[in-house]
């Protein structure tokens, strides 16, 4: 117990005062993740002699109740754990989320992957404490591949021997090819993403799209009919040895008997790291408790780096804390996804993002089906459509 008290003093600062009112933690977690959270909250409650309850609700219910009002005014919300960054941004824009800049220590912030912090930053305010990332990386079968390729060119060479496929027509996955070569989704100005600056038809984006199409023509590794289901099925059946997928795919591969390993997609020849999409989830508090030492300390306790390895071990979560991944505290699979997340970018939460998916996936369909289609024309047409929808 002395160790826990010392840890709490170091991480949290001022301890909660015993005998305060009960606090409530809402979460969409289920299964092992919920069990870990309940135990962690119970440790906090015992350590500081306070009452804390954990309630399970799905995200839509959390949003509805947080934004609702009863006869006495806004419904009280204390701490919410497991909020995806797109949901966090929407709640912040609705004016219900606390700004945690004063609560977040320099030690905590320096330990975060920078893009994870950016995912929970809205108009300069830190609206939540990031905990986990979720995004794709290279999955490979150890029985057929003895280690991750050292470069993207080597990956292609190995793929021609052992097979590689993924849901290439899905912009969520395909964006990494465009972004790694120098394309970008939106530019940025002082206010954040600039939806008027769409970088999906730049020279870098064209080079990335050409590299993507080369997997189909001439290599024949993928085509326009390669779906998520077909790529996943081929990997689980051992017909291909490598795929580009997320943490959600690991359990199924293991059940199929695949000795799966995870690594970041290999860099380009000049060392440029692979940069795809990710989502980030974390803990938030109601803005009415922004200056409440007790509630802020509870949120910081839940998000501390020492707590995250238990979620990785029992629920496959990928911490965005560098400290959590050191010294073997997080397993090899989670470390692989965490390494990929360091260079990834959060899926933008601006309204303009909704205009991107359709035009880009139509461009990808043509790209992977027609070897004679001009790549730059396909991308420029998609960008024009994105901009015309805005008008």
């Amino acid at each position: 117990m002395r160790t826990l008290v010392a840890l709490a003093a170091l991480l949290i600062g001022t301890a909660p005062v015993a005998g305060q009112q009960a606090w409530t933690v809402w979460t969409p977690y289920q299964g092992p993740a919920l069990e870990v959270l309940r135990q962690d909250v119970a440790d906090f409650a015992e350590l500081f002699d306070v009452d804390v309850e954990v309630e399970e609700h799905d995200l839509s219910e959390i949003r509805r109740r947080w934004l609702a009002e009863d006869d006495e005014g806004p419904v009280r919300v204390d701490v919410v754990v497991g909020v995806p960054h797109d949901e966090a941004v929407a709640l912040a824009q609705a004016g219900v989320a606390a700004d945690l800049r004063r609560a977040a220590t320099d030690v905590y912030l320096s330990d975060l992957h920078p893009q994870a912090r950016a995912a929970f930053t809205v108009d300069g305010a830190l609206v939540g404490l990031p905990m986990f990332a979720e995004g794709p990386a290279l999955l490979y079968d150890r029985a057929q591949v003895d280690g991750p390729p050292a470069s993207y060119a080597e990956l292609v060479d190995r793929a021609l021997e052992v097979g590689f496929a993924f849901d290439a027509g899905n912009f969520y996955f395909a964006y990494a090819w465009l972004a790694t070569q120098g394309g970008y989704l939106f530019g940025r100005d002082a206010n954040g993403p600039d939806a008027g600056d769409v970088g999906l038809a730049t020279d870098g984006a064209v080079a990335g799209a050409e590299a993507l199409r080369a997997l189909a023509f001439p290599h024949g590794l993928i085509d326009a009919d390669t779906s998520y289901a077909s790529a996943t099925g081929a990997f689980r059946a051992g017909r291909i040895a490598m795929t580009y997928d997320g943490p959600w795919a690991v359990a199924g591969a293991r059940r199929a008997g695949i000795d799966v390993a995870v690594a970041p997609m290999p860099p380009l020849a000049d060392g440029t790291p692979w940069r795809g999409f990710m989502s980030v989830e974390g803990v938030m508090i109601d803005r009415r408790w922004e200056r409440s030492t007790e509630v802020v300390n509870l949120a910081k306790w839940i998000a501390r780096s020492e707590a995250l390895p238990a979620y990785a071990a029992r629920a496959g979560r990928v911490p965005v804390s560098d400290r959590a991944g050191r010294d073997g505290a997080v397993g090899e699979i989670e470390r692989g996804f965490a390494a990929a997340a360091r260079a990834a970018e959060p899926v933008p939460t601006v309204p303009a993002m909704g205009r991107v998916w359709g035009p880009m996936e139509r461009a990808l369909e043509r790209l992977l089906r027609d070897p004679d289609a001009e790549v730059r024309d396909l991308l420029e047409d998609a960008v024009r459509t994105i901009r015309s929808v805005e008008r």
Side-chain angles (χ1 to χ4, degrees):
M1 181 61 74
R2 285 183 179 178
T3 301
L4 280 176
V5 171
L7 175 63
L10 175 64
L11 293 174
I12 295 180
T14 306
V17 179
Q20 297 282 331
Q21 69 183 103
W23 306 106
T24 302
V25 174
W26 289 2
T27 183
Y29 287 168
Q30 298 178 336
L34 179 60
E35 295 170 4
V36 173
L37 176 62
R38 288 190 186 279
Q39 183 58 60
D40 196 40
V41 169
D43 290 342
F44 179 91
E46 180 182 3
L47 182 60
F48 295 116
D49 190 22
V50 294
D51 293 327
V52 186
E53 299 176 353
V54 177
E55 295 184 10
E56 179 192 350
H57 303 283
D58 63 38
L59 280 171
S60 61
E61 176 68 5
I62 291 173
R63 183 194 316 113
R64 185 190 67 78
R65 292 178 63 177
W66 202 348
L67 298 177
E69 294 190 8
D70 58 23
D71 293 340
E72 298 179 357
V75 174
R76 173 186 150 189
V77 177
D78 299 332
V79 178
V80 184
V81 179
V83 186
H85 75 275
D86 57 342
E87 193 75 40
V89 171
L91 290 165
Q93 292 171 339
V96 298
D99 181 356
L100 297 175
R101 281 178 293 181
R102 293 183 180 181
T105 65
D106 291 341
V107 171
Y108 169 77
L109 294 175
S110 65
D111 185 47
L112 290 177
H113 301 175
Q115 289 285 14
R117 177 180 176 181
F120 274 82
T121 300
V122 179
D123 295 331
L126 185 66
V127 300
L129 303 178
M131 296 172 66
F132 307 112
E134 188 172 72
L138 177 67
L139 277 63
Y140 62 94
D141 181 354
R142 293 182 195 271
Q144 302 185 63
V145 179
D146 56 9
S151 68
Y152 180 72
E154 183 180 328
L155 179 143
V156 175
D157 289 342
R158 294 299 305 276
L160 294 173
E161 299 173 2
V162 300
F164 171 72
F166 70 103
D167 189 5
N170 184 335
F171 182 64
Y172 176 79
F173 294 105
Y175 174 65
W177 269 253
L178 280 63
T180 302
Q181 294 276 4
Y184 59 92
L185 198 45
F186 301 120
R188 297 189 67 87
D189 56 26
N191 298 316
D194 178 6
D197 179 8
V198 182
L200 296 174
T202 62
D203 290 345
V206 171
E210 289 174 341
L212 179 61
R213 184 161 70 176
L215 298 178
F217 314 108
H219 297 315
L221 296 167
I222 58 173
D223 59 35
D225 296 319
T226 303
S227 65
Y228 184 81
S230 65
T232 302
F235 184 68
R236 292 179 182 178
R239 295 194 300 274
I240 61 173
M242 299 184 292
T243 188
Y244 183 58
D245 209 337
W248 52 84
V250 171
R254 284 174 164 169
R255 285 194 298 269
I258 301 299
D259 185 6
V260 61
V262 177
M265 282 285 287
L268 302 181
D270 63 0
T272 300
W274 209 255
R275 183 164 63 90
F277 278 143
M278 68 172 175
S279 60
V280 184
E281 67 178 44
V283 55
M284 302 177 69
I285 69 174
D286 192 301
R287 63 178 175 81
R288 286 165 290 178
W289 308 125
E290 190 171 302
R291 297 184 181 276
S292 167
T293 300
E294 293 80 10
V295 177
V296 171
N297 284 346
L298 174 57
K300 292 170 69 174
W301 172 270
I302 293 169
R304 73 196 191 284
S305 62
E306 289 79 2
L308 305 184
Y311 291 92
R314 296 189 58 192
R317 303 282 173 163
V318 179
V320 294
S321 159
D322 287 329
R323 189 180 301 112
R326 291 198 292 266
D327 302 325
V330 171
E332 183 180 2
I333 293 290
E334 291 74 29
R335 288 200 302 273
F337 282 116
R342 288 189 186 95
E345 61 184 89
V347 178
T349 56
V350 294
M353 190 63 203
R355 303 192 292 266
V356 171
W357 302 105
M360 286 305 300
E361 291 187 355
R362 288 190 290 273
L364 291 170
E365 164 77 15
R366 286 282 310 281
L367 181 81
L368 298 173
R369 194 173 294 283
D370 183 356
D372 297 320
E374 175 57 44
V375 173
R376 188 177 297 275
D377 289 346
L378 292 176
L379 296 180
E380 288 180 347
D381 285 347
V383 170
R384 276 193 293 270
T385 301
I386 293 167
R387 288 175 173 157
S388 67
V389 172
E390 178 182 8
R391 292 195 294 270

